[in-house]
Amino acid sequence: MEAYNHIKDLKGELQDIRGDIVKYFSDWYGMAKITARKANIEPSTTRVVGRQQHGSNAEAGTPKDYHKRTLTIPLLDHLISDTYFDPNNDAVMSSLLCLLPALLVSREGNPVQAAFQYYADDLPSPQLFDVELFRWRRKWLNADQDHLPSSAAKALEECNHELFPNVRKLLPILCKLPITSAQCE
């Protein structure tokens, strides 16, 4: 859950920076100029030509504007677009988190319903999921409440694949989901 929240926060922070790029870039450029001055380097732009095929060719009156247009803004846009956070899957993620024993024992009913519906085709025995979830909860209700697994990795270690095949299939997804993304190149 912590990694998931960090990704959500990071994306929001990047979007805030992009929204006020003039202020942030001015601060960053000032720091870069100080560092460059210490190394006897004067900020400059690359040569701008009429037709450019393999590089950025943004017209700018100053090196500061050039670097903002060709480096900083494209980098921020890339980071924002590649930071994985899909608010539409927030319910599925929250639902998966309820498989963690530390959360599951405090919930009533089937708090994993959204994840079950989303991943039903991937489960080995979806018709038995409700019974399996009942047994998974009962296992942890009978355990020492001070030592319940609170991370997906720890819960996965404690999950017997023969007794809980569906839970065993969902826990690795929970381990990987918040920190990965995939896209066509």
Side-chain angles (χ1 to χ4, degrees):
M1 180 65 172
E2 188 174 344
Y4 182 68
N5 286 333
H6 285 305
I7 290 170
K8 197 172 7 175
D9 293 344
L10 174 65
K11 187 159 190 169
E13 290 166 9
L14 290 171
Q15 289 169 330
D16 291 346
I17 290 170
R18 180 63 173 92
D20 196 8
I21 190 63
V22 174
K23 178 207 175 291
Y24 286 98
F25 183 75
S26 292
D27 294 344
W28 296 337
Y29 190 76
M31 289 185 279
K33 277 179 61 174
I34 291 168
T35 303
R37 205 172 296 130
K38 290 178 184 176
N40 292 326
I41 298 172
E42 191 62 35
S44 62
T45 62
T46 59
R47 183 172 56 96
V48 177
V49 295
R51 184 172 175 219
Q52 181 81 13
Q53 291 182 350
H54 301 292
S56 197
N57 198 26
E59 290 189 37
T62 65
K64 181 179 178 179
D65 289 339
Y66 175 81
H67 291 292
K68 180 174 67 177
R69 290 180 189 162
T70 60
L71 295 173
T72 306
I73 291 174
L75 175 63
L76 274 173
D77 290 344
H78 173 76
L79 291 173
I80 290 168
S81 68
D82 280 5
T83 302
Y84 177 78
F85 172 69
D86 183 0
N88 297 326
N89 282 335
D90 199 25
V92 173
M93 184 62 191
S94 297
S95 178
L96 273 175
L97 286 168
C98 288
L99 283 174
L100 300 179
L103 295 174
L104 183 63
V105 296
S106 64
R107 304 292 200 283
E108 296 292 323
N110 184 349
V112 190
Q113 188 63 33
F116 169 71
Q117 289 175 341
Y118 191 81
Y119 292 109
D121 293 339
D122 300 319
L123 297 178
S125 305
Q127 66 279 11
L128 300 176
F129 185 75
D130 288 334
V131 173
E132 187 178 323
L133 183 64
F134 174 79
R135 289 189 356 258
W136 180 246
R137 177 186 282 124
R138 187 160 185 123
K139 168 187 169 93
W140 298 111
L141 285 171
N142 294 329
D144 180 8
Q145 298 298 298
D146 294 331
H147 296 94
L148 296 177
S150 59
S151 74
K154 288 180 183 173
L156 187 59
E157 289 174 7
E158 298 288 331
C159 184
N160 182 314
H161 72 281
E162 292 176 356
L163 295 175
F164 306 105
N166 293 309
V167 173
R168 180 69 183 198
K169 187 76 169 186
L170 291 173
L171 285 173
I173 294 171
L174 179 59
C175 286
K176 298 170 193 155
L177 193 61
I179 55 172
T180 61
S181 68
Q183 63 185 26
C184 294
E185 290 290 331

